[in-house]
Amino acid sequence: MSSPIKTFKPLHVVSDVSHTLFTEEIYPKRLPVILRGVEIGPCQEKWTAEYLAEKGGGKEVKIHVAPTPQMDFIQKNFVYRSLPFNEFVQRAARLKQDNFFISENEKYYLRALGDDPRKDIADISHQFPELAQDIHIPPFFNKDRFFSSVFRIASPGIQLWTHYDVMDNLLIQVNGRKRVVIFSPKEADKLYLNGDKSEVLDIDNLDEKKFPLFSHTERYEGILNPGDILFIPALWFHNVISLDFGVAVNVFWKHLDDNFYDSKDTYGNKDPLPATRAMQILDRALKTLDELPLEYREFYARRLVHRIQSKALCDHHP
Ligand code: AKG
């Protein structure tokens, strides 16, 4: 049984956001918000598919290619392929392909990586210096906390699964509209997580039998127009549909001390080190519980849950 989800809260939109307004009033609240009317430079007029193809050049980029708009990381309905950047951009801007990998209606999605993804962090000023000149990244965070700037370029219609990031980020939507749906980190236990991603792919037509808790989530929804910037605080889940051919630059920065982050994480999506350690310790605890007969295992499992709830959750009222 699937049912459409109708209730949502509109994402907060703030116009003409200055540096002071962002850093002193918006950022400390750590809530997602659409920032409208921020100066992002000439990219907004310049970045057509033709211009991007011409100035971006033929550097190879690794892309997701999907037969349908909804990418499915569980069934792996998409494949990774490489294309020269200029060829990729032209294809992503079209609805039908003459040259294709899967089918003429295939969809493309680029989440740019560093030159050597094992060693390098994505930074458009290194990978696409000519294009980087056209975009003004708002100085809403301390420059020395900068982590990455990532091109996200998408075919019309493509949908990226719900996931969280471990760093604060600005999604600067340069071209095309995007629908964004956001869930608070407090909803984590209703999202059927598989690592950093939710297994609920079709968030608009919910399979209630499979995902009964999901219908109790509170969702925020909004449309990004060209020139809008979405502030996504770390750990807030987001699901994104590109309504048009979309070009965005996604800027991440570290807001925790350096020692929380894994220095080998070039992608910027590994959980903070103490969180990873805690998960490993919990896995060991669960294995240890397995040594007990069922009745005892359940009893001590309940005691562990209670301990976690009362000691680690602020909003737990016994
Ligand atoms: C992010 O901002 O972290 C995203 O995942 C954005 C995805 C997109 O815009 O395609």
Side-chain angles (χ1 to χ4, degrees):
M1 190 179 59
S2 83
S3 59
I5 299 187
K6 295 218 176 59
T7 50
F8 61 85
K9 290 188 167 177
L11 267 172
H12 197 46
V13 181
V14 187
S15 294
D16 302 319
V17 181
S18 64
H19 175 265
T20 312
L21 180 62
F22 185 79
T23 52
E24 292 181 12
E25 291 187 37
I26 298 175
Y27 185 67
K29 295 198 178 91
R30 305 197 56 71
L31 294 171
V33 50
I34 297 177
L35 314 171
R36 197 151 277 168
V38 179
E39 178 51 47
I40 61 168
C43 54
Q44 228 187 306
E45 290 77 48
K46 285 186 168 175
W47 284 8
T48 59
E50 298 71 35
Y51 177 89
L52 288 170
E54 187 196 319
K55 298 279 179 195
K59 185 188 269 281
E60 288 278 309
V61 284
K62 197 168 171 198
I63 51 172
H64 298 65
V65 184
T68 56
Q70 198 168 71
M71 286 192 285
D72 179 344
F73 72 92
I74 302 161
Q75 303 294 329
K76 284 269 174 340
N77 71 337
F78 57 89
V79 291
Y80 291 105
R81 290 289 179 268
S82 289
L83 278 178
F85 180 78
N86 44 14
E87 164 74 10
F88 154 71
V89 170
Q90 281 161 341
R91 285 201 198 185
R94 275 185 224 127
L95 283 174
K96 270 203 180 350
Q97 311 301 325
D98 299 325
N99 291 324
F100 49 80
F101 296 105
I102 309 171
S103 69
E104 60 176 13
N105 295 319
E106 67 192 19
K107 306 276 177 209
Y108 302 94
Y109 186 80
L110 168 70
R111 189 273 185 219
L113 302 168
D115 284 331
D116 177 348
R118 278 167 309 165
K119 286 195 254 130
D120 303 321
I121 292 167
D123 183 347
I124 60 159
S125 63
H126 291 152
Q127 275 111 36
F128 302 95
E130 279 220 48
L131 295 174
Q133 289 172 9
D134 298 334
I135 184 162
H136 171 71
I137 293 172
F140 288 171
F141 56 92
N142 222 322
K143 264 198 188 125
D144 60 1
R145 306 308 293 150
F146 169 83
F147 180 75
S148 64
S149 58
V150 176
F151 252 136
R152 294 199 185 254
I153 301 183
S155 290
I158 203 158
Q159 181 170 24
L160 183 64
W161 47 73
T162 309
H163 68 282
Y164 69 90
D165 297 300
V166 298
M167 288 184 207
D168 288 350
N169 70 89
L170 296 175
L171 179 62
I172 307 172
Q173 187 64 25
V174 180
N175 266 340
R177 292 161 310 138
K178 208 164 247 180
R179 185 198 76 169
V180 287
V181 174
I182 302 212
F183 304 90
S184 155
K186 290 191 173 152
E187 306 285 17
D189 52 352
K190 300 183 207 125
L191 292 177
Y192 301 87
L193 292 184
N194 183 330
D196 61 343
K197 306 176 188 61
S198 164
E199 292 196 353
V200 185
L201 295 173
D202 195 345
I203 61 169
D204 298 301
N205 295 290
L206 183 63
D207 182 341
E208 282 193 86
K209 242 201 169 127
K210 206 164 160 197
F211 305 116
L213 296 176
F214 189 88
S215 57
H216 301 293
T217 53
E218 182 175 75
R219 77 194 245 178
Y220 293 83
E221 202 170 310
I223 301 286
L224 297 184
N225 289 312
D228 285 351
I229 300 177
L230 176 64
F231 167 51
I232 313 179
L235 310 184
W236 281 76
F237 296 89
H238 40 290
N239 182 293
V240 177
I241 298 184
S242 293
L243 303 175
D244 309 303
F245 164 61
V247 184
V249 174
N250 199 188
V251 184
F252 292 82
W253 69 94
K254 298 180 181 182
H255 76 288
L256 302 177
D257 283 347
D258 277 345
N259 55 0
F260 282 102
Y261 299 100
D262 183 334
S263 58
K264 289 187 281 305
D265 181 16
T266 59
Y267 202 90
N269 69 346
K270 292 217 168 106
D271 290 310
L273 292 169
T276 306
R277 277 205 307 277
M279 299 274 197
Q280 288 163 347
I281 294 165
L282 180 62
D283 284 345
R284 282 212 300 280
L286 293 172
K287 227 174 174 167
T288 310
L289 277 186
D290 273 347
E291 292 170 22
L292 291 165
L294 180 68
E295 186 189 347
Y296 285 79
R297 189 174 72 213
E298 294 235 329
F299 176 74
Y300 287 102
R302 275 183 221 290
R303 288 196 54 191
L304 284 182
V305 169
H306 176 75
R307 208 139 149 183
I308 291 174
Q309 280 180 332
S310 59
K311 299 231 178 239
L313 296 180
C314 308
D315 56 2
H316 174 69
H317 305 290

